[in-house]
Structure formats: C-alpha cells, structure tokens
Amino acid sequence: MAIAAKQPSVLVQSKIKGNDDNSALEVCDLISTSFGWWLQAVLGAVCFISLVGKRFTDKVRRPWRVWFFDTSKQACAAGLMHFGNIFLAMAFGEFLDNSSDPCNWYWINLTLDDTLGVLVIFILLRLLQCTYRLRCVNRPHLALSGEYGDPPDLRIFVRQLLDFQGIVVVEKLLLVFLVVSFTDEVTSITNVLLGWLDSYPKIKLILVMVASPLVMNVFALWVADSFLQGGSRKPLLPDPASCDGGMQPHVVGNNLEGFSADESERRVFSFTEW
C-alpha cells in the first residue's frame, strides 16, 4: 500500500532457469549483503524525506509534533504491510499459481496496495468516521483524523493509530480476496507487464524491488498523508501582510492624496486639513 513504505526482503526469491539442469537462484532483494542493508535504508530515507518535503508544501503547515503523529500512522502500517506482502508473495507463489514467481507476486501486492489500496483505505476511513458520528455511537471526537487536541494528546494519537492499523488490515484482507478470486486475470496482466523482463533478470530485480517501491510508495504516502491530516488549521495570529487581502490597513482620516511624499513630510497640516 502506498501508505506502507514497503521495502524488499530477503525472503522473496525468484528462480531463473539456465541452459542446463541447474538453476541459478536470484534473490529479489539485496539485503542479504551489506549493500542491501544500505539500499534498504536509502529507500526508507527517501520515503521519509518525501513526507518532510510535503510538510513544507502544505498550505497550512502542521507543527512538527502533529506531523510526527500523522507520519507515524503510515510508518507502522508500512512495517505491517511489508511483512504481510512478503508472506503473501511466498504463499501466492506456492498455492495459487506456480507459473508466476514470488517476484511477480510481490510486485502485484505492492501495486495493488499503492493504487487501489489507497482508495480502499480512504473509503474505510470515511466509513469509520461516519460510524463514530452515528447517534447510537455518539463518539464524534473519534472521527477527527489528524486532530490531537491542543496541546496534542498522546492518548488521542494512540487511539487513532490503532484505528488506522485496523483499517489497513481490513484493506489488505479485501485485496487478498480480490487476488484469490481473480488469480488468472491478475497473473495474466502481470505477465504482460513483466514478462518481457524474464530475459533480463537483473533489470527485473531492480525494477520490482527498487524502482517500483520507490516511486509507488512516495506517491501513496503523499496521497494518504493528505487525507490523514486534520482539517485546515488557522494560525493563531494572522500574518500582517495578509490583512485586507494583502492591502495596507485602512486608517480613518488618512486621505493625503494630492500631496507628494516630500510635501507631506515637510508640511504641517491643520486639524481640518488632516
């Protein structure tokens, strides 16, 4: 899912057939080496920096603590979805369709999470908020996503964090049901998109385990962050430059048209003239 900054894992493997009976084993990620761990860290850092950059592009900039609370929801969901995708990639490759290797299944899970999954999470979040506002539930304060009180309350954040993780789990279960119900269609589409890379295993590994997670995770993180944050927050003190639409404040009696700046500085005006 977009929300989850999912990274490659050592558990996902793909067999590439050779010319003889022996098969070369390609690992779908590089974290089995020291370089792989650095790559893992870089991918995570890029996703984190992208959210920092988004904070400075928002029309109303969130305080750092509020921003950290909003981002932590996605960070926890990222870890949850990452390990879930690893398990599902192996399970799908073993039980659903042996012609698609775990690399393909990992890419399928990643793509669905970061596209359709984001939409599903948005709908589920809105449904949960509507449920909290029902008269029989009467918990409207729990429906304010991204609002943690003033000052921000850790208990409110924990409640919203748990709600969001529950939404992510439901979203993943719905997508798993979709994949299991339409296995042939999903694998056919994936083979068309990735099949031409079977002859270039190194390029396929880079695309599936590096390029795709980087681009799609950043996209999903930005979209999810937009609806996870609270409503428009007005600054406590208005910007003086924004008063009256950016114009200078109106001063009663300040009608000095017809006098140049030099004249108005030198002359002494009578009370009637002023």
Side-chain angles (χ1 to χ4, degrees), residues 1-7 44 47-48 51 67-83 157 161 164-165 168 221 224-225 228:
M1 127 187 179
I3 297 190
K6 301 170 279 300
Q7 306 303 337
C47 293
F48 175 77
L51 288 177
W67 173 87
F68 176 78
F69 283 171
D70 291 340
T71 305
S72 297
K73 298 176 185 177
Q74 298 204 65
C76 293
L80 182 65
M81 298 300 293
H82 169 52
F83 292 107
F157 160 70
L161 177 66
F164 186 68
Q165 305 314 303
V168 170
L221 288 170
D225 185 69
L228 281 177

Side-chain angles (χ1 to χ4, degrees), residues 125 128 132 142 158-168:
L125 179 63
L128 180 63
Y132 280 139
L142 297 178
V158 172
R159 177 55 188 262
Q160 293 189 19
L161 177 66
L162 296 177
D163 284 347
F164 186 68
Q165 305 314 303
I167 289 175
V168 170

Side-chain angles (χ1 to χ4, degrees), residues 165-181:
Q165 305 314 303
I167 289 175
V168 170
V169 171
V170 173
E171 173 262 343
K172 193 60 189 177
L173 292 176
L174 292 175
L175 293 185
V176 169
F177 176 78
L178 175 66
V179 172
V180 173
S181 301

Side-chain angles (χ1 to χ4, degrees), residues 50 113 223 235 256:
S50 70
D113 284 339
V223 174
L256 300 179

Side-chain angles (χ1 to χ4, degrees), residues 1 11 19 34 53-54 57 109 113 118 162 184 190 204 220:
M1 127 187 179
L11 298 178
N19 295 328
S34 59
K54 183 180 182 299
T57 62
N109 286 311
D113 284 339
V118 177
L162 296 177
D184 294 337
T190 305
K204 182 177 181 180

Side-chain angles (χ1 to χ4, degrees), residues 13-33:
Q13 298 177 336
S14 172
K15 290 184 178 179
I16 300 171
K17 296 180 180 179
N19 295 328
D20 52 12
D21 294 336
N22 295 326
S23 297
L25 188 65
E26 285 287 344
V27 181
C28 279
D29 66 58
L30 300 175
I31 66 173
S32 57
T33 63

